[in-house]
Amino acid sequence: MRVFLEHTQYWLYRFFTNSNYRKFIFYSIIYGGKKRFVARTFNINGLKIFTPDSLSFIWQYKEIFADEDYKFQSESSTPVIYDCGANIGTSCLYFSIIYPGSKIKAFEADPAIAEILNENLLRNNIRNVELIDKAVWINNDGVQMSLEGADGASIFSNTNPIKIPSVRLKDMIEKESKIDMLKIDIEGAEYDVLKDCSSSLDKVKNIFIEYHSYVNCVQKLSEILEILEKNNFRYFIKPVNDREKPLINRKNKFNPNMDLQLNIYGYKIN
């Protein structure tokens, strides 16, 4: 009976105990089936958030505010946070709420999305974020990317690629005495960037990585975990999208270009 209740009542328990989860369910019902890439403004938790795509924002809200996937502990009241792949600023707003004194560097490659990010910061009077409207990469020479118009810009798509200005993350990290939280959600570029930054991650206390495995590319998960282990991170992994009968269903039904998408959480004990 205990196992039955745990599996059947968990989401109901979350619904009644987590107001942000209730809001996610509400907005999923209202906007989940609406046409994509239609601009809307959401008023949630005292925040006014403009988004070019309701569906992508709804899932961002669940991950960031309902699930609190980016929550971390810091001994400092002014933690340094690097938000790589900041998109429209939902994560920046969350970080600014839990740590009002934080110093945030927000990196966003898509120029149109970066403009929306800046507007969302201004309309919510967020003053602790430095916006860097460039792609996080392994050099400062620019990088070819395909822009999707929401949260799916990627170096692995061949749909109308354009060259985007880039910034070498390793150089940025090495300017800091420490980074309390490094969030990396850069749609497939994470392996190259982490490999380039490997010798500099001693400065990082907490790290979040969204790992993307594209079907026509070699999987690099083991190498990413090796980088974390060499830098004394303990890590925890959970799938973003599950696959029933994974030996048969070999693609992500939400994104058939990928066969695996994971959230990786790393933290240092000392």
Side-chain angles (χ1 to χ4, degrees):
M1 179 61 73
R2 180 180 63 83
V3 173
F4 171 78
L5 291 174
E6 286 179 353
H7 281 269
T8 58
Q9 305 303 315
Y10 173 71
W11 301 114
L12 187 62
Y13 175 80
R14 287 200 73 197
F15 182 84
F16 285 110
T17 60
N18 186 328
S19 62
N20 286 321
Y21 185 70
R22 289 196 298 274
K23 291 171 186 174
F24 160 70
I25 295 297
F26 172 76
Y27 284 114
S28 298
I29 293 171
I30 301 299
Y31 297 107
K34 298 287 186 181
K35 183 179 178 180
R36 295 205 62 184
F37 306 106
V38 175
R40 289 186 174 87
T41 298
F42 287 82
N43 294 282
I44 304 180
N45 300 348
L47 301 169
K48 185 177 291 186
I49 305 174
F50 177 82
T51 175
D53 179 50
S54 297
L55 186 63
S56 61
F57 170 72
I58 289 167
W59 285 105
Q60 286 177 21
Y61 182 79
K62 178 184 182 297
E63 182 177 61
I64 297 170
F65 280 92
D67 298 341
E68 293 194 277
D69 274 357
Y70 301 158
K71 190 170 186 177
F72 68 96
Q73 292 182 327
S74 175
E75 297 175 355
S76 172
S77 61
T78 58
V80 175
I81 301 170
Y82 273 39
D83 190 342
C84 303
N87 199 248
I88 63 169
T90 311
S91 48
C92 291
L93 295 172
Y94 173 79
F95 287 136
S96 295
I97 289 172
I98 62 172
Y99 286 111
S102 60
K103 300 174 182 179
I104 303 172
K105 284 187 168 63
F107 303 83
E108 176 51 45
D110 186 326
I113 299 297
E115 185 175 340
I116 293 172
L117 163 58
N118 188 54
E119 291 173 359
N120 280 330
L121 296 175
L122 291 174
R123 63 170 49 95
N124 290 287
N125 198 31
I126 301 299
R127 305 295 181 184
N128 60 328
V129 178
E130 177 187 351
L131 172 57
I132 301 170
D133 54 348
K134 297 181 179 180
V136 168
W137 191 230
I138 62 175
N139 56 48
N140 300 313
D141 302 330
V143 59
Q144 291 287 121
M145 297 185 68
S146 294
L147 307 180
E148 176 237 20
D151 58 355
S154 175
I155 64 171
F156 285 98
S157 174
N158 294 318
T159 305
N160 301 319
I162 63 172
K163 192 168 186 178
I164 295 291
S166 65
V167 58
R168 190 184 187 195
L169 182 61
K170 179 182 176 67
D171 295 341
M172 299 291 294
I173 292 175
E174 291 184 349
K175 293 177 183 178
E176 306 286 352
S177 59
K178 71 168 183 173
I179 295 175
D180 296 270
M181 174 63 167
L182 172 58
K183 173 214 155 197
I184 299 179
D185 182 1
I186 50 178
E187 301 300 321
E190 61 274 357
Y191 167 72
D192 297 276
V193 170
L194 284 166
K195 183 178 179 181
D196 187 55
C197 292
S198 180
S199 62
S200 305
L201 293 179
D202 59 308
K203 294 175 178 284
V204 177
K205 182 69 174 177
N206 300 279
I207 190 168
F208 170 90
I209 305 160
E210 188 167 279
Y211 169 71
H212 306 78
S213 170
Y214 289 86
V215 293
N216 295 321
C217 300
V218 176
Q219 291 182 310
K220 300 289 188 178
L221 177 60
S222 62
E223 296 183 50
I224 289 176
L225 297 181
E226 183 179 7
I227 290 169
L228 295 179
E229 290 170 3
K230 285 182 177 179
N231 282 279
N232 299 314
F233 284 100
R234 301 292 298 180
Y235 53 78
F236 176 81
I237 303 172
K238 70 177 183 181
V240 175
N241 299 120
D242 200 1
R243 277 166 41 198
E244 294 184 3
K245 299 182 283 294
L247 296 177
I248 298 171
N249 301 321
R250 299 184 179 185
K251 294 183 180 180
N252 180 343
K253 67 179 180 180
F254 298 103
N255 187 339
N257 294 318
M258 287 193 289
D259 54 6
L260 180 62
Q261 189 174 351
L262 303 172
N263 284 345
I264 305 172
Y265 312 78
Y267 52 92
K268 291 177 179 173
I269 302 299
N270 297 317

